[in-house]
Each structure stands twice: as C-alpha cells, then as structure tokens.
Amino acid sequence: MQSIQQLMEMVLQESQAIVLSMIVNVEGSSYRKEGTWMLLLEDGRRVGVISGGCLENDLHKRATELFRTGKSKILHYDLSDEDDLGWGRGVGCNGVVTVFIRDINADFRNFLRFMHQRLQAKEPMYFIQSMTDFNLYECMGRTGDHFSKGQMVMPLDLEPLLPFEKKAGQIKRGEELFYFQLIWPQPALYIVGAGIDARPLARLAEHAGYAVHLFDWRSGICNDAHFPTASSIQIGNVSELISNVQFSPLDSVVVMTHDFQLDVEVVQCLLEYKLLYFGILGSKKRTERLVQGEIPGTIHSPVGLSIGADGPEEIAVSIVAELIAVRQGKLL
C-alpha cells in the first residue's frame, strides 16, 4: 500500500502518460474515503487502490480517454444499489463516491515535484483543488511554502495538528467549490537490530506504507538480501549511527537488538527525542531495567498490541498494528 508521497515519486520517475484519480467526496459508506489516490498508467498498470475492486476497471477505461490531453473530469459512482441494474452490481456499499481524475501534464508534474520536495523534508502540505475550474489548484505548508496554479488563495490552518491527522473534504467560497486535503509525509520506521525477527517486521511495515530504516553492527545479517525493501541500511556503531539521525515527531522507532548493554545506550539516546512511536522488544521488567526505574509513558513496552502473538511473524503483526493505531490517533 503506497503512501501519497510514494505515488508522487512514481509520477516523477515515469515518462509515460499517467492519470491521477482521487476520491473527493463520499456520501454514506465506502471501501476508501476522501483523500485516497490511485495512479493509472498508460502501460495498463494501476498503482494504489481506490475501492475494493468495484471502480478500478471503469476508472481505467475513463483514463484511456484522458491520456496526454491535460484534461480532468469528475465521476460519480452510486454503490448503494443492491440489484444488478445499478452501478454497484449488488455490492451494497450504501455510498455514493465522487472521484476526480486528471491527466498529469507538465504543469501538474511540476506541482507534484514541489509538494514532494516538501514532504521529503517531513513537512505536511495542504492540497487544494477547485471543483469549478479544474485549472486552479495550489498547495501550502506550515512554513509558508506555497505553489499555486491560477489566482487562488485558500486560508487553511495548519496549526495545531495531531501527527497524521486526516483532513479532507469540500468547502465552498462564494459560488466556487473547492476540495482540500492534508497530505502527510510517508511515515518512517527505524528498526534498531536486524535479527531474524526484524525481517517480517520490516517487510510488513513496508507493505503498510512505511519507509523502513535498519541499524545494526553486523553486515552478515543486515543487508539487502535479508531486507530487500528497506529504504536504508546502516552498519556500524549503532549508538553513533542513531545520534547522527535527526528524528522528528513523525518518526517511529522499534528497538530489538537482543543486546541489553547496547539497548541501554540506544534507549538513553532515543529518550532525548520526541517520537510518534517508541517501542522496545522484551518484557516490561527488562525495559524497567533498561531505563533504571519506571517506564516513561512515551515508551511502548512490551512492544505491539496484546493479541497473544507468538513467533516473529505474529509479533510483527502486533507491532505494525500498534504503529498504525498510534499513527491514526486510535492509541496514544
């Protein structure tokens, strides 16, 4: 499951025609909500998921009409029909989904490049699209960075924001309707320790949209062969490597070195940062020994949701589930 930042990266790397589809409004229930993006490529590939399979085929047909035209279109899908005569063909989702599709021309590609650069700097960005004049769109960040196509300025407040808070919807200004969406940087997970139990965690987290970074002192086990999807792998003195990272409040860290003395050094270093998620593998008593007292509320120990997980694969599921819950504001 790709993050929006990853979808932007694909657009910037590809030279072929691409159509962007976005859910801009949902009435009732649907599989995905406002703010969902999917790419439809000229070679037939689809990147991302915009429904449970109900809409993708039709969206692909519509995309073929837009490739290399620079045009945009609004589509309405009524998924509430329970018989086979309506669009839903019996899916019974009880929702009406509005999808905005756009051929990504040179202007919009430059627009995405600007947003992507800000997301790489871990800055959330507001994306605003006119639903009245498709040639009007803009983005804005917390630091005042701004990119606008056409004369349009939409005052949207970026403060205060909870990490990864979802904001997307439609707003009217006079006679004009706008769609707005808050886009967060791709979530990052730093795994300290590259033992065998780190492999399923890295793999599952990457599938959930995380950029995964590995730290270890053993090149024999911490390498591309064991972690082919990792965004980065760093080998050396782990404490020194970690001290060189500029962690942000949007970052998550899981410590799983199985080396108590090393964990003491790493944990003391990480306690200096405000992190979105900080988990330590091992029992609560072990973590109490690591911090030499009561476990701070910022640390998740034992790491992962309590689901009775056993073995590396199940423990990885419990950790990623907890990461997602924290990121979505369902668990503090």
Side-chain angles (χ1 to χ4, degrees):
M1 181 175 174
Q2 290 83 2
S3 67
I4 290 178
Q5 183 177 333
Q6 288 174 295
L7 296 183
M8 291 181 184
E9 288 174 2
M10 170 163 278
V11 171
L12 298 176
Q13 293 168 0
E14 290 282 346
S15 58
Q16 64 178 297
I18 302 176
V19 164
L20 167 65
S21 64
M22 307 182 298
I23 297 180
V24 296
N25 192 55
V26 174
E27 297 176 13
S29 61
S30 71
Y31 185 75
R32 303 294 305 273
K33 301 299 182 183
E34 293 93 342
T36 300
W37 288 26
M38 182 179 75
L39 300 178
L40 299 148
L41 283 70
E42 193 173 29
D43 64 10
R45 283 181 292 161
R46 305 169 187 172
V47 185
V49 176
I50 212 162
S51 76
C54 315
L55 308 181
E56 279 74 4
N57 287 339
D58 187 72
L59 283 169
H60 178 75
K61 292 178 182 177
R62 305 298 186 106
T64 59
E65 302 169 1
L66 294 185
F67 287 137
R68 304 185 188 280
T69 66
K71 295 182 179 180
S72 303
K73 186 180 294 187
I74 293 178
L75 307 171
H76 301 282
Y77 296 100
D78 187 348
L79 305 179
S80 61
D81 290 341
E82 295 187 359
D83 57 35
D84 284 343
L85 299 178
W87 165 258
R89 295 189 60 80
V91 296
C93 291
N94 298 317
V96 178
V97 180
T98 301
V99 180
F100 179 82
I101 60 175
R102 168 193 293 282
D103 175 53
I104 299 179
N105 59 13
D107 285 342
F108 198 76
R109 201 174 288 262
N110 288 331
F111 175 74
L112 292 179
R113 182 174 288 106
F114 177 90
M115 271 205 294
H116 182 257
Q117 290 172 348
R118 300 312 185 271
L119 292 172
Q120 282 186 311
K122 298 185 179 181
E123 179 184 357
M125 299 293 293
Y126 260 120
F127 165 60
I128 304 105
Q129 168 69 57
S130 170
M131 294 286 97
T132 309
D133 183 346
F134 299 156
N135 292 317
L136 298 181
Y137 49 83
E138 72 171 356
C139 64
M140 55 183 287
R142 180 182 282 119
T143 60
D145 290 341
H146 185 270
F147 189 112
S148 181
K149 179 69 165 60
Q151 297 298 315
M152 178 177 68
V153 176
M154 289 287 294
L156 292 172
D157 187 14
L158 275 164
E159 297 283 1
L161 286 174
L162 298 173
F164 293 101
E165 178 182 3
K166 285 189 173 181
K167 283 189 176 182
Q170 296 189 352
I171 186 171
K172 206 163 188 181
R173 288 287 188 269
E175 297 300 316
E176 198 160 12
L177 182 66
F178 295 91
Y179 168 74
F180 69 92
Q181 176 180 354
L182 179 60
I183 300 176
W184 289 95
Q186 181 183 9
L189 171 62
Y190 295 85
I191 302 176
V192 186
I196 192 170
D197 51 352
R199 298 176 194 175
L201 174 59
R203 184 172 61 250
L204 188 59
E206 192 273 338
H207 287 320
Y210 283 83
V212 177
H213 306 274
L214 271 296
F215 298 93
D216 202 281
W217 63 99
R218 301 159 294 185
S219 60
I221 64 172
C222 190
N223 50 49
D224 292 336
H226 292 143
F227 297 95
T229 61
S231 296
S232 72
I233 293 175
Q234 297 192 47
I235 308 294
N237 184 303
V238 175
S239 298
E240 291 181 3
L241 292 174
I242 289 175
S243 66
N244 292 327
V245 178
Q246 296 298 316
F247 292 103
S248 85
L250 301 180
D251 294 332
S252 299
V253 179
V254 173
V255 177
M256 50 194 314
T257 71
H258 300 280
D259 183 317
F260 185 82
Q261 293 304 321
L262 176 57
D263 282 358
V264 171
E265 298 176 19
V266 169
V267 169
Q268 292 304 314
C269 180
L270 290 171
L271 282 173
E272 298 178 6
Y273 297 95
K274 182 180 179 182
L275 299 167
L276 180 65
Y277 179 94
F278 182 8
I280 301 176
L281 187 70
S283 68
K284 188 174 182 179
K285 287 186 177 181
R286 182 181 186 274
T287 302
E288 288 173 345
R289 289 174 56 210
L290 284 173
V291 300
Q292 299 178 353
E294 186 176 349
I295 301 173
T298 55
I299 293 179
H300 292 261
S301 177
V303 68
L305 294 180
S306 180
I307 59 174
D310 181 32
E313 298 286 348
E314 291 185 2
I315 292 172
V317 170
S318 73
I319 295 173
V320 173
E322 190 169 51
L323 285 168
I324 294 171
V326 170
R327 194 180 80 209
Q328 301 295 350
K330 304 299 183 182
L331 184 67
L332 300 177

